[in-house]
Amino acid sequence: MTDFSTIPEKAQARLAQISESVSDVVPKETKSWKIQTNSLAEDGQGPAIIDEVKEWYEKKCLYLYTFQITSQNVAPLAVFSAYSDAKNGKKGDRAYARLNKESEWLYVGSSKLIYQRLKDHLGYSSKQTYAIHLAYWARSIDLEIKFECAKYPPGTSKIALQVLEDTLWEELLPMFGRQGVR
């Protein structure tokens, strides 16, 4: 029989352990790139930013990243509507990430292979991978997006990185995606 009365004490101990694991986790480097969605093509080779991020990538590091609308002339509602239409219409037969609510922040995520995850979000990899697939719906809006990434050193705990991602997600409340471990 399960002893539910001991769960709170065990949860407190686990949370204390997690708290300790994030206390000194800082990125070794952060970098940002601008993306113009009108330059993304649905088919063909991905843009140069993918190669730039691949060059910046280091094996065994972990990455935390955000996508933010930096266009001054595009309302988040227009972005929300365009994405919703693409998702509901299954444009490009893609697996679109969850739609939340209007925000200047499009997505918060983490990855071991950051250049591959960027390819997913731009729409240049597998159709079945849940991502925002920008090339399939954002070209006509002509968005400027800032892709910002923090590189964490080898040995960074995956649990600590997940806590950092969840905290950032709660702070920014992005328009797309979901919080928590997949």
Side-chain angles (χ1 to χ4, degrees):
M1 177 166 237
T2 304
D3 184 1
F4 289 98
S5 65
T6 63
I7 300 297
E9 184 179 320
K10 290 176 181 176
Q12 282 181 319
R14 184 171 187 276
L15 289 172
Q17 194 176 31
I18 291 170
S19 176
E20 182 64 31
S21 76
V22 299
S23 65
D24 61 351
V25 177
V26 293
K28 73 184 260 184
E29 185 180 358
T30 60
K31 192 163 180 169
S32 66
W33 295 265
K34 296 286 184 177
I35 300 167
Q36 289 295 143
T37 61
N38 65 353
S39 68
L40 301 174
E42 285 183 25
D43 296 314
Q45 191 171 351
I49 184 178
I50 295 168
D51 292 331
E52 292 172 27
V53 172
K54 191 171 186 175
E55 189 174 309
W56 182 68
Y57 162 81
E58 290 180 44
K59 285 182 181 178
K60 299 186 181 178
C61 287
L62 297 176
Y63 300 85
L64 184 59
Y65 64 92
T66 60
F67 285 91
Q68 178 188 18
I69 299 170
T70 53
S71 299
Q72 299 300 313
N73 59 342
V74 180
L77 178 58
V79 176
F80 184 92
S81 296
Y83 186 84
S84 179
D85 290 347
K87 181 176 174 63
N88 293 334
K90 300 180 193 244
K91 187 165 187 194
D93 198 29
R94 299 272 161 169
Y96 290 94
R98 178 182 294 172
L99 182 58
N100 300 314
K101 63 179 189 166
E102 295 172 49
S103 173
E104 73 179 270
W105 297 95
L106 296 180
Y107 199 90
V108 171
S110 61
S111 180
K112 286 172 51 176
L113 288 174
I114 191 61
Y115 62 90
Q116 180 59 49
R117 193 63 180 131
L118 176 61
K119 281 176 73 172
D120 296 337
H121 286 303
L122 293 178
Y124 294 98
S125 61
S126 174
K127 292 179 179 187
Q128 291 87 21
T129 301
Y130 283 97
I132 56 179
H133 301 285
L134 286 162
Y136 287 83
W137 62 271
R139 287 181 310 130
S140 62
I141 303 173
D142 190 19
L143 285 175
E144 179 183 85
I145 296 172
K146 179 170 69 170
F147 172 65
E148 190 167 20
C149 191
K151 181 190 302 183
Y152 291 87
T156 300
S157 158
K158 289 180 185 178
I159 292 170
L161 193 69
Q162 186 62 56
V163 170
L164 296 175
E165 178 185 345
D166 289 346
T167 301
L168 188 58
W169 202 98
E170 288 173 7
E171 182 179 304
L172 301 179
L173 298 172
M175 195 179 305
F176 313 127
R178 60 180 236 176
Q179 181 181 15
V181 178
R182 295 344 154 226

